[in-house]
Amino acid sequence: MDIAELIDALDREGRLLADAAQQAGPDAQVPTCPDWRVRDLLAHVGMVHRWVTRILTEGLTEMVRPQPGQEPEDTDLTPWFRDGHGALVKALNEADPEGRYFTILPTSHSPLAFWARRQAHETAIHRVDAESALGKDLSPVAPAFAADGLGELLTGFHATERSKVRTETPRTLRLRATDAEVVWTVRLSDAPPRAEAGDAGDADCELSGSAEELYLTLWNRLPMARLRATGDTSLAELWRERSGF
């Protein structure tokens, strides 16, 4: 997906998140993040949005930490979130496409493309949290956006030392979307997972479902039972138990 498409997705997902949070109320529990209530969700995402806005508008190239604890009281929390979300969309639209900015992961994309992608998916996953707190049906995720997010998860977060999805005996997990031409082969070992696009050789376990189901399940927002599993299903359980960040 290109930068403009990702910014559009961020804009849409942030609005949906705010709407769901406002309807649920700040004290509502978030089933997908059991330790959180909606106020915690808004505080977290609002903080991240403001942090990335600062990186872009100040042209920061070195690490600067987010600043928690800046959120207002409950009555002003959703408007505060909306303001920060709008500022981030504006900052991404106005940032220099060739600019050098700090990023939290190594990337082959431009820093601006990295942040447009990261914030679109950060906000989409937490929008699911807000809608889960509301108890309503989840807003749909377009296959192309879900496929992009699945790729980011596998080649970004789980390619780093932070990933705990590891096995003493090397195993191979296949992920296959049923509504898009998306297949990933994920090689598991005692090192971080190595994901490669395509159907690369035999797999010990295959998980299949729509791109949306794969995206949200591998981000632990849907139960693993939503996917069809064949082969050694213990690898599905391994992912569920160890893939959280």
Side-chain angles (χ1 to χ4, degrees):
M1 298 180 70
D2 64 28
I3 292 175
E5 291 173 320
L6 290 165
I7 296 174
D8 285 346
L10 165 64
D11 189 25
R12 178 182 64 253
E13 295 291 340
R15 292 174 189 273
L16 289 170
L17 192 164
D19 290 346
Q22 186 167 359
Q23 293 177 60
D27 201 44
Q29 291 186 318
V30 181
T32 45
C33 297
D35 293 336
W36 276 3
R37 294 183 183 268
V38 165
R39 66 171 59 86
D40 305 306
L41 174 64
L42 288 174
H44 169 74
V45 186
M47 174 191 68
V48 171
H49 284 177
R50 284 166 169 77
W51 174 57
V52 178
T53 297
R54 181 184 174 194
I55 290 170
L56 296 172
T57 56
E58 297 183 18
L60 301 179
T61 59
E62 300 293 334
M63 172 64 175
V64 58
R65 295 194 177 278
Q67 297 180 331
Q70 303 300 307
E71 68 277 5
E73 296 298 321
D74 286 352
T75 54
D76 298 320
L77 192 52
T78 303
W80 174 83
F81 171 84
R82 291 187 194 274
D83 286 346
H85 169 248
L88 175 58
V89 171
K90 182 175 185 289
L92 285 163
N93 275 315
E94 295 180 354
D96 179 2
E98 304 301 323
R100 296 178 60 249
Y101 305 104
F102 166 78
T103 61
I104 58 172
L105 295 171
T107 179
S108 60
H109 303 286
S110 74
L112 180 59
F114 170 88
W115 281 121
R117 188 188 201 195
R118 175 80 294 275
Q119 289 310 295
H121 292 296
E122 170 93 8
T123 306
I125 292 300
H126 287 310
R127 180 268 297 169
V128 171
D129 295 331
E131 291 181 345
S132 298
L134 184 58
K136 62 176 284 188
D137 291 340
L138 300 180
S139 300
V141 180
F145 183 70
D148 183 81
L150 183 61
E152 188 213 30
L153 176 65
L154 295 174
T155 64
F157 288 98
H158 282 293
T160 71
E161 290 294 331
R162 291 179 61 195
S163 179
K164 297 178 182 177
V165 183
R166 308 192 185 201
T167 63
E168 293 183 4
T169 303
R171 313 300 298 279
T172 301
L173 174 66
R174 182 106 65 235
L175 306 170
R176 189 181 303 276
T178 55
D179 60 345
E181 294 184 2
V182 175
V183 180
W184 285 94
T185 300
V186 185
R187 304 195 184 284
L188 305 175
S189 68
D190 59 0
R194 292 188 299 108
E196 48 190 299
D199 194 337
D202 294 336
D204 297 292
C205 175
E206 179 168 300
L207 300 176
S208 61
S210 69
E212 177 181 18
E213 288 171 329
L214 285 169
Y215 174 56
L216 296 183
T217 300
L218 269 66
W219 266 112
N220 296 314
R221 263 54 183 193
L222 290 178
M224 192 62 72
R226 288 288 294 268
L227 301 179
R228 180 173 180 267
T230 58
D232 182 359
T233 57
S234 68
L235 293 185
E237 186 64 15
L238 174 75
W239 187 279
R240 188 190 66 79
E241 290 179 350
R242 301 189 186 178
S243 64
F245 284 100

